[in-house]
Amino acid sequence: MPKTLTKLQEQIIAKVLTLHATNYVWLREGEVNSLNSLKAKNLIDQHAYGSIQPRHLNDEVKAVFWRENPRTFKMANFHGEGWLIFDDKRYICKVYNELDATRVVEGLKELRVAEVDAGKEAA
């Protein structure tokens, strides 16, 4: 099944999901085209122009982002600034080395399995 968001759009959304309410991501060149495409699909607020904040993301684009990515995953950070780690629809951390990012993701997956196993034993 084809994804709704392009790779660049996913990176933009991922970066915005890591921000506090008063911060923003500046966009330039082709990134603005991706933003305009998201606006045309009504996936973000129409008032986002050269920058985007968490308030510009609507529930639909967040739902698409979480649905089209695994439960635990890493994504290259916007503008090549390391890797963003997400788990269970939450931003966990930023890691600067891809090997380390892979280790964090694998560790989170193993931890989830251990938690499930511990829950089964307790039941």
Side-chain angles (χ1 to χ4, degrees):
M1 181 170 142
K3 285 192 161 197
T4 305
L5 303 173
T6 67
K7 184 75 171 169
L8 180 58
Q9 289 170 340
E10 277 191 331
Q11 287 179 312
I12 292 169
I13 300 301
K15 178 65 178 184
V16 173
L17 288 170
T18 70
L19 300 176
H20 298 289
T22 58
N23 294 346
Y24 49 85
V25 175
W26 283 106
L27 303 173
R28 62 177 191 242
E29 300 163 359
E31 300 156 2
V32 175
N33 292 335
S34 287
L35 177 70
N36 290 337
S37 175
L38 288 167
K39 286 178 12 181
K41 295 176 186 176
N42 290 317
L43 291 174
I44 62 166
D45 186 287
Q46 296 298 313
H47 296 97
Y49 297 101
S51 66
I52 185 170
Q53 293 182 296
R55 67 184 175 89
H56 292 123
L57 302 181
N58 65 29
D59 291 338
E60 184 179 354
V61 77
K62 290 183 221 175
V64 166
F65 179 81
W66 296 124
R67 182 179 61 240
E68 293 184 352
N69 285 294
R71 187 172 188 174
T72 304
F73 65 98
K74 68 180 182 192
M75 182 170 291
N77 192 6
F78 195 61
H79 294 149
E81 303 162 349
W83 297 86
L84 305 173
I85 310 296
F86 293 90
D87 181 50
D88 203 18
K89 298 182 182 178
R90 292 179 303 137
Y91 167 65
I92 302 298
C93 65
K94 178 178 174 180
V95 179
Y96 292 94
N97 180 294
E98 185 175 7
L99 253 36
D100 292 340
T102 300
R103 291 179 67 206
V104 170
V105 168
E106 294 307 314
L108 288 168
K109 288 177 181 178
E110 287 180 27
L111 181 60
R112 183 174 312 285
V113 169
E115 289 171 344
V116 169
D117 290 345
K120 288 179 184 175
E121 289 175 10

